[in-house]
Amino acid sequence: MSQNNVDTTAIRGLVAKYIEVIARSTADELVSLFTEDGVIMAPDAPTMEGTEQLTAFFNHAFTTIKIDPKIYIDEVVVSGDYAFARCHSEVHVTLLEPKASHSEANRELFVFRKDGGEWKIARYMFNKPQTAN
Protein backbone atom coordinates (compact mmCIF):
# COMPACT_ATOMS: atom_id res chain seq x y z
CA MET A 1 0.00 0.00 0.00
CA SER A 2 1.40 3.41 -0.96
CA GLN A 3 2.04 6.09 1.68
CA ASN A 4 -0.76 8.19 0.17
CA ASN A 5 -3.21 5.28 0.65
CA VAL A 6 -1.97 4.76 4.22
CA ASP A 7 -2.49 8.46 4.98
CA THR A 8 -5.93 8.53 3.33
CA THR A 9 -6.98 5.48 5.37
CA ALA A 10 -5.70 7.13 8.57
CA ILE A 11 -7.60 10.34 7.80
CA ARG A 12 -10.83 8.43 7.09
CA GLY A 13 -10.29 6.67 10.43
CA LEU A 14 -9.81 10.02 12.19
CA VAL A 15 -13.10 11.34 10.77
CA ALA A 16 -14.82 8.13 11.96
CA LYS A 17 -13.30 8.64 15.42
CA TYR A 18 -14.48 12.27 15.42
CA ILE A 19 -18.04 11.04 14.71
CA GLU A 20 -17.87 8.49 17.54
CA VAL A 21 -16.49 10.95 20.09
CA ILE A 22 -18.85 13.82 19.27
CA ALA A 23 -21.81 11.43 19.59
CA ARG A 24 -20.53 10.52 23.09
CA SER A 25 -20.32 14.22 24.06
CA THR A 26 -16.80 13.87 25.47
CA ALA A 27 -15.09 17.27 25.17
CA ASP A 28 -11.59 16.32 26.35
CA GLU A 29 -11.42 13.27 24.08
CA LEU A 30 -12.74 15.32 21.17
CA VAL A 31 -10.19 18.10 21.69
CA SER A 32 -7.42 15.46 21.76
CA LEU A 33 -8.18 14.80 18.07
CA PHE A 34 -7.10 18.39 17.26
CA THR A 35 -3.64 19.93 17.08
CA GLU A 36 -2.78 22.21 20.02
CA ASP A 37 -3.36 25.22 17.75
CA GLY A 38 -6.54 23.71 16.28
CA VAL A 39 -9.23 26.07 15.00
CA ILE A 40 -13.00 25.67 14.63
CA MET A 41 -15.03 28.01 12.46
CA ALA A 42 -18.71 27.37 13.09
CA PRO A 43 -21.56 29.43 11.63
CA ASP A 44 -22.85 32.31 13.75
CA ALA A 45 -20.05 31.80 16.30
CA PRO A 46 -16.65 33.35 16.94
CA THR A 47 -13.59 31.50 15.70
CA MET A 48 -12.28 29.17 18.43
CA GLU A 49 -8.50 28.74 18.53
CA GLY A 50 -6.33 26.44 20.62
CA THR A 51 -6.98 23.72 23.15
CA GLU A 52 -8.43 25.99 25.85
CA GLN A 53 -11.03 27.63 23.59
CA LEU A 54 -11.96 24.33 21.90
CA THR A 55 -12.43 22.65 25.28
CA ALA A 56 -14.65 25.51 26.51
CA PHE A 57 -16.63 25.45 23.24
CA PHE A 58 -17.31 21.71 23.40
CA ASN A 59 -17.99 21.67 27.14
CA HIS A 60 -20.57 24.42 26.67
CA ALA A 61 -22.10 22.76 23.60
CA PHE A 62 -22.44 19.40 25.34
CA THR A 63 -24.33 20.99 28.26
CA THR A 64 -26.98 22.29 25.85
CA ILE A 65 -27.17 19.80 22.97
CA LYS A 66 -26.69 16.15 22.05
CA ILE A 67 -25.33 15.57 18.55
CA ASP A 68 -25.74 12.45 16.43
CA PRO A 69 -23.74 13.09 13.25
CA LYS A 70 -23.38 11.11 10.06
CA ILE A 71 -20.46 12.49 8.06
CA TYR A 72 -19.86 11.37 4.49
CA ILE A 73 -16.43 12.00 2.98
CA ASP A 74 -16.58 13.41 -0.55
CA GLU A 75 -12.84 13.65 -1.10
CA VAL A 76 -9.52 13.37 0.71
CA VAL A 77 -6.40 15.09 -0.62
CA VAL A 78 -2.99 14.50 0.99
CA SER A 79 0.08 16.64 0.38
CA GLY A 80 3.04 15.98 2.64
CA ASP A 81 2.19 16.71 6.29
CA TYR A 82 -1.13 18.39 5.37
CA ALA A 83 -4.38 17.02 4.06
CA PHE A 84 -7.99 18.00 3.74
CA ALA A 85 -11.30 16.19 3.63
CA ARG A 86 -14.35 17.75 2.04
CA CYS A 87 -17.48 16.22 3.52
CA HIS A 88 -21.22 16.56 3.86
CA SER A 89 -23.26 15.52 6.85
CA GLU A 90 -26.65 14.79 8.25
CA VAL A 91 -26.79 15.78 11.89
CA HIS A 92 -29.55 15.07 14.39
CA VAL A 93 -29.42 17.70 17.15
CA THR A 94 -31.33 17.37 20.42
CA LEU A 95 -31.69 20.43 22.65
CA LEU A 96 -31.40 19.18 26.21
CA GLU A 97 -33.66 21.97 27.61
CA PRO A 98 -36.37 22.06 26.42
CA LYS A 99 -36.34 18.53 25.10
CA ALA A 100 -36.64 19.22 21.35
CA SER A 101 -34.77 17.99 18.32
CA HIS A 102 -34.21 18.68 14.65
CA SER A 103 -32.06 17.45 11.79
CA GLU A 104 -29.83 19.53 9.59
CA ALA A 105 -27.50 19.12 6.65
CA ASN A 106 -24.04 20.68 6.60
CA ARG A 107 -20.99 21.04 4.41
CA GLU A 108 -17.81 20.30 6.31
CA LEU A 109 -14.14 20.95 5.67
CA PHE A 110 -11.43 19.34 7.76
CA VAL A 111 -7.79 20.39 7.37
CA PHE A 112 -5.39 17.87 8.89
CA ARG A 113 -1.73 18.13 9.88
CA LYS A 114 0.69 15.43 10.93
CA ASP A 115 1.63 16.05 14.54
CA GLY A 116 4.34 13.78 15.88
CA GLY A 117 3.71 11.37 13.00
CA GLU A 118 -0.03 11.19 13.75
CA TRP A 119 -2.79 12.90 11.76
CA LYS A 120 -4.79 15.46 13.76
CA ILE A 121 -7.45 18.00 12.90
CA ALA A 122 -5.80 21.40 12.46
CA ARG A 123 -8.79 23.37 11.13
CA TYR A 124 -12.48 22.53 10.95
CA MET A 125 -15.25 24.56 9.36
CA PHE A 126 -18.87 23.78 8.63
CA ASN A 127 -21.90 25.59 7.26
CA LYS A 128 -25.29 24.94 5.76
CA PRO A 129 -25.55 24.62 2.00
CA GLN A 130 -27.70 27.13 0.21
CA THR A 131 -30.94 25.59 -0.98
CA ALA A 132 -32.01 26.01 -4.59
CA ASN A 133 -34.98 28.30 -5.18
Side-chain angles (χ1 to χ4, degrees):
M1 186 182 286
S2 73
Q3 184 59 46
N4 196 24
N5 287 344
V6 169
D7 289 333
T8 299
T9 299
I11 288 165
R12 288 181 178 277
L14 181 53
V15 172
K17 178 80 170 176
Y18 176 86
I19 293 166
E20 291 171 20
V21 175
I22 204 164
R24 286 197 301 264
S25 302
T26 311
D28 289 338
E29 187 179 5
L30 192 56
V31 172
S32 76
L33 302 178
F34 285 80
T35 59
E36 286 187 19
D37 65 344
V39 174
I40 294 178
M41 295 170 281
D44 302 318
T47 299
M48 280 69 63
E49 300 181 45
T51 301
E52 186 176 313
Q53 288 184 9
L54 268 58
T55 301
F57 172 73
F58 287 121
N59 277 329
H60 174 73
F62 295 148
T63 63
T64 60
I65 60 174
K66 171 82 172 123
I67 304 169
D68 181 21
K70 290 180 178 41
I71 299 175
Y72 306 96
I73 298 174
D74 299 314
E75 72 176 316
V76 174
V77 175
V78 177
S79 181
D81 286 345
Y82 284 89
F84 72 82
R86 182 177 56 86
C87 309
H88 67 280
S89 65
E90 298 167 6
V91 181
H92 186 81
V93 179
T94 301
L95 300 172
L96 300 177
E97 284 297 324
K99 201 73 153 164
S101 65
H102 70 277
S103 293
E104 61 185 51
N106 288 301
R107 298 178 294 185
E108 316 221 1
L109 183 65
F110 291 89
V111 177
F112 305 95
R113 186 175 72 222
K114 272 198 178 170
D115 186 11
E118 178 184 4
W119 286 107
K120 295 214 170 200
I121 302 165
R123 306 292 183 265
Y124 173 60
M125 181 170 65
F126 65 98
N127 61 30
K128 292 178 185 12
Q130 183 176 10
T131 56
N133 293 330

